């Protein structure tokens, strides 16, 4: 039997990364941040001076990029030429281009394969925009984590990052290929007035309830 996959989706700065990481810790599963995978490609292309409009060039470059999508302990990690990417992933140039890069179907197909691979041998908590709809449509564990636009803008500002999240969300919702969307069978959690601990507890309790029912 395939190991479980927990899908956590939601708009920018909804708190899903923090929540997903803690849920993974509590369950002893591997945490996979798919946004970092799109961000790594956006960063690499910016380094090469390739614009998001150059779809053909990008498609040709995909298999030869020096990027590795691996793990560091119990979390996903992206490496470029063997060096782990960290602060590079939230550079302004990446925030500005990532949703355009993520709208390219060939980029999504390339990463979809790598994302599913993580779950072949181990249980994962994967966060992103299309995990419940596209990456793991059959998992019974789907959560759509959201918060009001004001709360999300405040959370991003508190991180000290320059990031026009409303524009990114618009791009993510409106793209044709695997848009940001709630799976019809996802549990929606509006975190505007919740603490992180409350959100984590709601998800972990729901997973435990469902797992008991399945056994
Ligand atoms: O941290 P934040 O929630 O702002 O964003 P992220 O999860 O790091 O994702 C960055 C961008 O990658 C998103 O705005 C999407 O354009 C894209 N993305 C996606 O298209 N599909 C995913 N599964 C994850 C991210």
């Amino acid at each position: 039997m395939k190991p479980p996959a927990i899908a956590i989706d939601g708009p920018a700065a909804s708190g899903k990364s923090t929540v997903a990481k803690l849920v993974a810790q509590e369950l002893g599963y591997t945490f996979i941040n798919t946004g970092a995978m799109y961000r790594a490609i956006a960063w690499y292309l910016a380094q090469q001076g390739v614009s998001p409009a150059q779809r053909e060039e990008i498609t040709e470059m995909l298999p030869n990029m020096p990027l590795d999508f691996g793990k560091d302990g119990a979390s996903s990690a992206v490496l470029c030429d063997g060096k782990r990417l960290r602060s590079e992933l939230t550079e302004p140039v990446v925030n500005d281009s990532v949703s355009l890069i993520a709208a390219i179907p060939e980029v999504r197909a390339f990463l979809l394969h790598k994302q599913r691979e993580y779950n072949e041998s181990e249980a994962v908590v994967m966060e992103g925009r299309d995990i419940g709809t596209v990456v793991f449509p059959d998992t019974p564990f789907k959560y759509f984590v959201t918060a009001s636009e004001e709360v999300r803008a405040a959370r991003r500002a508190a991180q000290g990052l320059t990031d026009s999240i409303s524009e990114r969300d618009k791009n993510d919702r409106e793209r044709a290929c695997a848009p940001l969307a709630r799976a019809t069978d996802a549990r929606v959690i509006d975190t505007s007035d919740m603490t992180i601990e409350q959100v984590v507890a709601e998800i972990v309790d729901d997973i435990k309830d469902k797992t008991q029912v399945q056994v």
Side-chain angles (χ1 to χ4, degrees):
M1 223 174 75
K2 201 173 78 72
I6 315 299
I8 301 187
D9 290 302
S14 56
K16 56 188 186 328
S17 279
T18 310
V19 164
K21 211 175 289 172
L22 291 169
V23 169
Q25 255 173 34
E26 203 152 315
L27 297 172
Y29 293 2
T30 302
F31 164 67
I32 313 288
N33 176 348
T34 62
M37 301 169 86
Y38 289 97
R39 286 174 179 274
I41 293 181
W43 175 80
Y44 178 75
L45 292 171
Q47 296 298 300
Q48 302 299 310
V50 177
S51 105
Q54 292 174 267
R55 178 172 168 180
E56 268 180 40
E57 287 85 341
I58 293 172
T59 304
E60 268 174 37
M61 287 170 77
L62 279 172
N64 305 316
M65 289 183 186
L67 297 174
D68 274 318
F69 303 95
K71 279 199 336 173
D72 183 3
S75 297
S76 56
V78 190
L79 293 85
C80 181
D81 284 321
K83 180 185 165 289
R84 173 125 189 227
L85 299 177
R86 293 178 191 273
S87 58
E88 294 86 348
L89 301 180
T90 50
E91 284 177 7
V93 66
V94 175
N95 289 336
D96 289 347
S97 65
V98 63
S99 61
L100 302 174
I101 299 293
I104 300 173
E106 290 82 2
V107 171
R108 303 203 71 84
F110 177 76
L111 288 182
L112 176 63
H113 170 72
K114 301 197 179 293
Q115 289 158 0
R116 286 188 177 150
E117 232 171 44
Y118 277 113
N119 184 228
E120 271 167 22
S121 56
E122 59 192 321
V124 296
V125 176
M126 190 172 286
E127 61 117 337
R129 301 292 188 287
D130 61 340
I131 313 304
T133 50
V134 175
V135 183
F136 300 125
D138 298 330
T139 182
F141 311 112
K142 299 184 186 181
Y143 304 91
F144 193 82
V145 176
T146 180
S148 71
E149 200 158 323
E150 298 73 48
V151 168
R152 293 190 291 112
R155 285 178 185 166
R156 188 57 26 120
Q159 290 177 299
L161 296 175
T162 326
D163 189 2
S164 67
I165 58 173
S166 50
E167 195 179 322
R168 215 145 46 76
D169 282 343
K170 187 171 181 294
N171 288 341
D172 290 343
R173 286 204 170 88
E174 292 180 355
R175 68 173 172 241
C177 181
L180 162 65
R182 176 178 84 79
T184 48
D185 53 345
R187 179 173 179 139
V188 179
I189 307 178
D190 184 338
T191 68
S192 303
D193 299 314
M194 290 172 82
T195 64
I196 287 167
E197 292 73 24
Q198 287 171 325
V199 183
V200 172
E202 182 169 335
I203 295 176
V204 171
D205 288 350
D206 185 67
I207 293 168
K208 287 186 175 158
D209 283 352
K210 285 184 172 140
T211 311
Q212 272 159 15
V213 171
Q214 282 180 348
V215 171

